[in-house]
Amino acid sequence: MALAALRSSRSLGPLVRRLRPERRCIATATATPSPSASAALNHDGPALSLPQHIEPTNRRQAIKQAKPFSDFLTDKFNRQHDYLRISVTERCNLRCLYCMPEEGVPLSPSSHLLTTPEIVYLSELFVSQGVTKIRLTGGEPTVRPDILPLMQQIGSLKSKGLRELALTTNGISLHRKLDKMVEAGLTGVNISLDTLDPFQFQILTRRKGYDAVMKSIDRVLEMNKLGAGVKLKVNCVVMRGINEREIIPFVEMGREKDIEVRFIEYMPFGGNKWSERKMLTYQEMLDIIREKYPSLRSVKGHPNDTSKTYEIPGFLGKIGFITSMTHNFCGTCNRLRITSDGSLKVCLHGNTEVSLRDLLRKDNNNNPMDEQAFEAIREIEMNRRQGLSVTDTRPSWIERETALLNLIGEAVKRKKEKHAGMEELQNMENRPMILIGG
């Protein structure tokens, strides 16, 4: 059997693997399957395994060529994307200056947004290709009515390779849902907070809620003392003339609390009236902190970290800087984003997108896929495999999954080496942050 025809279980999507027993095999996932590979994908029997009669030389070559990570999620600069951010809603209970225009944003019809089964399916599909971390964002993810059952279903993917399930939130209602989120598998929380002044909070967010956010921070710390093990980070967007005087108070949050406060350079998005003069650079922030704490020192982080991490001797917490504007980290980017309306964005600062939703719904008359629709597909596929008569003439689901993976792979391969510079970003049309999810 030709080696090109061999496919690993990683190249098979979640719905298919529920219908097919898995066997270990040596193969690679490719963004454009060869005819023989496509034939293997549509094979009705069990997953193909490496034949025992292959000569030792060919076996060594097969092992040498085997890729442990999906080619669909590897771009042409060899960046492997194992981190997926999913926006689960466009709605938010705050109106932060840098995130949303004052007048708000037009909300998509509910039928345009991904359903819970669609989110879970796509999560499992990406995990099957090597994604190990999923972060749920918004809008504000905690306002989604079924956020807890959604997290429970995604959290169950830890048995299939998912390692981290994280949440980015404004913290307004987190304290009320945190216990059940931890039970669902939550491993990390990023809380957005740009001021430690309750009055300033109301100005920046155009809403009340400071006390609720602080209550959520305290609740995470309390649960961690009991062994919850939730990584806590506080994200602060620094804007010149607005909140740079609060950099030191934020740093001092970590004196006795195990918190990483991350200072974010102000970035341009649709409707947030960004200008370079409003942006405080990473170096300026560093200078402000070093003036008060000259012992500030750099901490070695993970190669894919978005932030540059520092610590002050004697402090329990750490400090980070997200420097997208002055010192980009594009070379080690491992992140992909799915918007709440089902578009895949391969770069936060790029304005090109591909719709996974439209392809997913193509054989469902372009209607949202609910659990009943997925169950009907499973039944049809099972009947086909058992040789039973099936009147449904739609392509098999494995063909749809192959098309989805090819669409994802093509988008990832088009990812640029780095995002545009400040001047170009300022004039580039992009979604408001609220419709991207950060």
Side-chain angles (χ1 to χ4, degrees), residues 15 118 168-169 199 206 230 245 288 332 353 395 407:
L15 192 65
E118 287 171 338
T168 293
T169 172
F199 179 72
R206 306 184 182 108
V230 176
R245 69 182 184 280
I288 289 171
T332 58
E353 304 174 355
L407 182 64

Side-chain angles (χ1 to χ4, degrees), residues 101-361:
E102 186 172 2
E103 66 276 12
V105 295
L107 297 175
S108 302
S110 59
S111 62
H112 291 191
L113 304 178
L114 291 177
T115 65
T116 292
E118 287 171 338
I119 293 173
V120 173
Y121 170 75
L122 288 172
S123 297
E124 191 170 354
L125 182 66
F126 275 86
V127 169
S128 79
Q129 298 303 304
V131 162
T132 59
K133 179 177 181 178
I134 291 178
R135 178 177 295 279
L136 303 182
T137 68
E140 170 50 41
T142 61
V143 304
R144 185 181 173 105
D146 66 345
I147 186 64
L148 292 174
L150 173 61
M151 291 183 70
Q152 288 165 355
Q153 292 181 74
I154 296 176
S156 70
L157 298 179
K158 288 185 178 180
S159 64
K160 300 181 179 180
L162 184 68
R163 296 174 192 161
E164 298 180 66
L165 175 57
L167 187 77
T168 293
T169 172
N170 59 33
I172 295 291
S173 61
L174 177 66
H175 59 91
R176 297 198 300 268
K177 302 178 180 181
L178 184 62
D179 295 50
K180 291 191 180 297
M181 287 181 171
V182 172
E183 290 175 7
L186 182 69
T187 60
V189 174
N190 289 3
I191 296 179
S192 301
L193 179 65
D194 305 311
T195 178
L196 297 174
D197 179 344
F199 179 72
Q200 179 81 338
F201 179 92
Q202 193 168 341
I203 294 174
L204 290 176
T205 66
R206 306 184 182 108
R207 297 289 188 276
K208 295 180 180 179
Y210 174 81
D211 291 341
V213 178
M214 298 308 294
K215 188 174 181 179
S216 291
I217 291 173
D218 290 340
R219 182 59 184 151
V220 176
L221 293 171
E222 288 171 9
M223 292 191 69
N224 281 345
K225 288 179 180 178
L226 298 173
V230 176
K231 296 177 185 175
L232 174 60
K233 297 176 182 178
V234 171
N235 289 343
C236 175
V237 176
V238 182
M239 294 165 281
R240 191 185 306 277
I242 295 178
N243 64 344
E244 78 268 35
R245 69 182 184 280
E246 296 196 61
I247 289 176
I248 296 301
F250 268 108
V251 168
E252 291 173 344
M253 284 182 73
R255 186 186 296 276
E256 297 178 353
K257 295 178 180 178
D258 188 10
I259 296 176
E260 180 177 338
V261 176
R262 304 195 304 176
F263 298 108
I264 303 173
E265 290 180 336
Y266 185 31
M267 294 178 278
F269 290 98
N272 74 349
K273 299 179 181 178
W274 182 92
S275 71
E276 189 173 350
R277 62 181 177 79
K278 293 180 183 177
M279 185 189 71
L280 203 70
T281 68
Y282 152 61
Q283 188 59 55
E284 289 176 292
M285 292 186 262
L286 205 57
D287 291 344
I288 289 171
I289 298 170
R290 279 208 167 115
E291 185 176 352
K292 178 73 180 287
Y293 295 104
S295 59
L296 181 73
R297 62 193 181 196
S298 177
V299 176
K300 186 176 181 180
H302 188 276
N304 296 120
D305 283 349
T306 58
S307 67
K308 297 171 174 60
T309 308
Y310 288 76
E311 65 181 7
I312 298 172
F315 277 47
L316 191 58
K318 289 183 171 58
I319 305 158
F321 299 91
I322 297 180
T323 61
S324 301
M325 304 307 294
T326 60
H327 296 77
N328 73 63
F329 35 84
C330 301
T332 58
C333 182
N334 66 334
R335 291 165 297 286
L336 299 172
R337 292 169 171 82
I338 297 178
T339 62
S340 57
D341 58 359
S343 289
L344 177 68
K345 283 179 72 77
V346 297
C347 176
L348 173 64
H349 293 292
N351 56 8
T352 56
E353 304 174 355
V354 295
S355 178
L356 305 183
R357 178 202 64 196
D358 291 352
L359 184 54
L360 188 58
R361 297 178 179 180

Side-chain angles (χ1 to χ4, degrees), residues 2-11 24-30 37 40 48-50 62-63 65-71:
L3 184 62
L6 300 176
R7 302 286 289 184
S8 70
S9 61
R10 173 163 284 178
S11 68
R24 293 180 64 83
C25 62
I26 296 174
T28 64
T30 59
L48 298 172
S49 58
L50 190 66
I63 293 172
Q65 292 177 346
K67 292 184 180 180
F69 193 84
S70 170
D71 191 57

